[in-house]
Amino acid sequence: MPISTAVPRYSFDRCRPIIHHPAKSKTPPVTNLYVSSSGRLFVTYRNLFRAGANQIAKEAIVCYDREGRKLWSIAGPQDRGPKAVYGYPNAEFSYPELGSGVVTWVWWHNGRAYLLTDDGLYLGGFLDNDLGTGPTFARIGGEMSSYASQTPDGRLLLVNGSNSSHHFLEIKGLETARRFEQKLVITPADVAAAQQAQQAGEVTETEKPVVFVPHLDRTPNTADWQLDRDGVRLVTSRKPGRGGRITLKSDGTSLYLSARIQDETPMVNNGDNWQTPFITGDCVDLMLATDAKADPERRLAVRGDLRLLFTELRGEPLAVLYRPVVPGANHPVQMLATVIDEVQRLPNCKPVITRGNGYYTLTARIPLETLGLQSHPGDLRGDVGVIYGDVTGRDRDQRLYYYNQDTAMISDLSTEAALHPDQWGPIVLAYPHNLLKNSGFEEKFEGKTSNTAYGVGNWVIGVSKNGATATPTRQHVFAENQALLLKQEIPVKLPGKPSKNPQEYYRALNDGRGGGFVLLDQKVPVVAGQKYNLRFAFRAENMVTENRKKPGYSIFAVWLFWQNAKGQVGTTWAWRSDRDQPTWRRVNNPRNSHVMVKGLPYTAPPEATHVQIRLQLTVNTNAKSNVYIDDVEFAPASQ
């Protein structure tokens, strides 16, 4: 019998979009598509549960028809419980008496399979989240996958792959399932209760602190690495005892990386291939986008994207540089479906590794020229993370990164070799030679002193009155571990009678004591005529905009008071804001309430020897205003 060699031919001219999510929309990424024989399109969206913050899609599974009309959906799960319906439709069933439908399953959720009909009827879920053995969700390293199948005689089977075996489970009992109709009465009280439950279930994700790179005026030594506090923290709920911190620093010519990683088998990598140590054991990973103009939402690597991998391969320290896109590369490396144009050892970047009881530390120096970067390249994007090997040191067990949380896949070389820049985040490089001390508010600051060195060398609370305070906080942090919180703790008491004269009204606040007011100062030396850059990050809530028709406002302001031994020689009102700022905003060289397009530096006035930087909150209303401030830098522009 001749064998047919015919293949289907598809006309792309007849293709048309069914569903479109704009690239910058708030819709979570699509994780799976499935089309049933009845013409239903099932779309699932990413739902992640992780320490610190969850990413919950409003709709976990959505069913569309051929025209893109939404037929029904299932709300995103709020936990990993047995009734938290989620998963990828991966097979089609014909249910007795109920019509056609699908079965879903996804690893790294709760390991259960769920049965749904084409019209959205939920039938039930099976299997348990059990890390044991047998037909339950069993996994010992690597990936395992469940799927479903229906035999010609109509039997429904779940197939659970685990521990190098497959378990076939037959689903019975659905032959008794029937549809029924019943009148559903929804009262106003039911609606109110549903709205209250919906609001209570909303998940707000807190902004992660950025990966911050302090500048050192010298090569860092052991005392510069406070590995239990510095850098960003890696957290995982998958295995107790894992996690750690990774820190980056720069001296203007080199980038320094240091990591302290909790690991039950500290730094073991017994792989044979120096080009792919990330699939054979423990590694520390650094990814960078060196082209600041590249689209931050790109899903594929472009020229300038790179990866640095540090490990100890069979006892030998190893640093490997990966450049996925290098025009004209002569020796690209094929890693299944992923091609890396350039893979090279970096003998001058070999890490120093020490092991302890349940942890290891790793430090490395990377010349900036090796990365194609200048002495101060400005802010970058990228990620840092760690790869955990298994107990043998010949396979990987977990990928754990700071920004990228979509790292469950650990048994696919193509995925693990590829860079995913759309999952990266900010890497903020501090100004060289920042004159301010304690610019990130990681250390204590002082109350007002009466000596002539007021504010020199640290932040000083100059004034704090009528319920306004200045304290360190960990509630919202832009960089590292702490930020400054200027807060109106106690609401200002308003006058009994409003006044047409705003100044009289403000003097009458708090029974004549005035409004809330708090300020922090720090004084640093300057050179007359020298140019200086000012930069800070802030966010604000419960602010009140000033209105000429109705008195009352709260204002966050930043001032520069230029001084010499005889007194003040100039004043610059750098920043003024009376509006809420729900996320961190970075401000560079502002002028009053405006951020200049080019961020022109400030020039120290003639005869100036010092400048006093002031951070100030004024509250002349009864709002409990909060302003968070972090990473305040003031540095010579010529450096």
Side-chain angles (χ1 to χ4, degrees), residues 287-557:
M287 300 180 183
L288 290 174
T290 62
D291 182 1
K293 297 180 180 180
D295 181 5
E297 296 183 5
R298 67 194 181 281
R299 299 182 65 181
L300 299 177
V302 297
R303 185 175 184 177
D305 293 344
L306 57 86
R307 177 186 197 179
L308 272 165
L309 207 65
F310 302 97
T311 187
E312 187 178 86
L313 195 65
R314 291 185 172 273
E316 180 185 354
L318 174 68
V320 185
L321 175 64
Y322 303 82
R323 297 184 188 273
V325 180
V326 180
N330 295 322
H331 303 287
V333 179
Q334 187 85 37
M335 299 184 182
L336 290 183
T338 296
V339 177
I340 307 296
D341 282 351
E342 187 176 276
V343 181
Q344 62 180 115
R345 291 175 181 259
L346 296 181
N348 60 337
C349 300
K350 286 185 177 181
V352 176
I353 299 168
T354 59
R355 295 173 179 82
N357 183 16
Y359 75 93
Y360 67 88
T361 65
L362 181 150
T363 58
R365 170 185 170 274
I366 311 108
L368 291 179
E369 62 180 4
T370 300
L371 307 176
L373 295 173
Q374 300 175 350
S375 59
H376 184 71
D379 293 347
L380 305 171
R381 288 183 65 82
D383 205 354
V384 291
V386 59
I387 298 168
Y388 282 95
D390 67 2
V391 293
T392 69
R394 298 193 63 84
D395 199 358
R396 63 285 205 198
D397 181 65
Q398 182 180 9
R399 296 190 296 151
L400 179 62
Y401 288 81
Y402 183 66
Y403 286 121
N404 186 4
Q405 301 299 310
D406 191 12
T407 55
M409 181 64 70
I410 54 169
S411 293
D412 182 74
L413 177 59
S414 300
T415 301
E416 296 165 87
L419 301 189
H420 303 278
D422 59 320
Q423 302 294 326
W424 296 350
I427 296 184
V428 175
L429 279 75
Y431 280 142
H433 314 297
N434 179 22
L435 299 175
L436 291 172
K437 305 298 182 183
N438 195 18
S439 62
F441 307 97
E442 301 293 314
E443 309 294 339
K444 292 182 179 180
F445 40 84
E446 306 167 5
K448 184 175 181 179
T449 60
S450 58
N451 60 39
T452 56
Y454 164 73
V456 175
N458 198 359
W459 295 104
V460 171
I461 302 175
V463 177
S464 176
K465 66 178 185 179
N466 298 331
T469 61
T471 58
T473 181
R474 294 176 183 266
Q475 182 177 1
H476 294 295
V477 177
F478 175 74
E480 299 186 298
N481 301 293
Q482 289 190 159
L484 168 68
L485 172 58
L486 302 182
K487 181 176 183 178
Q488 186 65 39
E489 293 269 8
I490 304 172
V492 172
K493 183 179 178 181
L494 302 180
K497 293 183 180 180
S499 172
K500 294 183 179 180
N501 186 326
Q503 297 308 317
E504 291 182 0
Y505 178 86
Y506 298 142
R507 284 194 294 268
L509 296 172
N510 283 319
D511 297 323
R513 299 191 308 274
F517 186 73
V518 61
L519 63 86
L520 258 72
D521 287 328
Q522 185 173 157
K523 186 186 294 185
V524 296
V526 296
V527 176
Q530 173 71 55
K531 296 184 181 299
Y532 294 88
N533 287 317
L534 170 69
R535 180 169 70 175
F536 59 90
F538 85 101
R539 58 185 295 164
E541 57 192 23
N542 301 324
M543 303 294 283
V544 176
T545 302
E546 188 172 15
N547 188 335
R548 294 182 180 180
K549 296 182 179 180
K550 182 180 178 180
Y553 61 84
S554 51
I555 292 176
F556 164 53

Side-chain angles (χ1 to χ4, degrees), residues 160-204:
N160 188 35
S162 176
N163 306 338
S164 300
S165 60
H166 282 74
H167 307 277
F168 292 80
L169 295 86
E170 183 176 356
I171 303 171
K172 294 186 175 182
L174 285 176
E175 64 275 3
T176 62
R178 297 292 186 274
R179 295 179 182 269
F180 66 92
E181 294 184 4
Q182 180 177 328
K183 186 176 182 180
L184 177 63
V185 178
I186 300 176
T187 66
D190 294 330
V191 174
Q195 291 174 339
Q196 183 178 3
Q198 184 180 27
Q199 293 173 358
E202 289 181 354
V203 178
T204 301

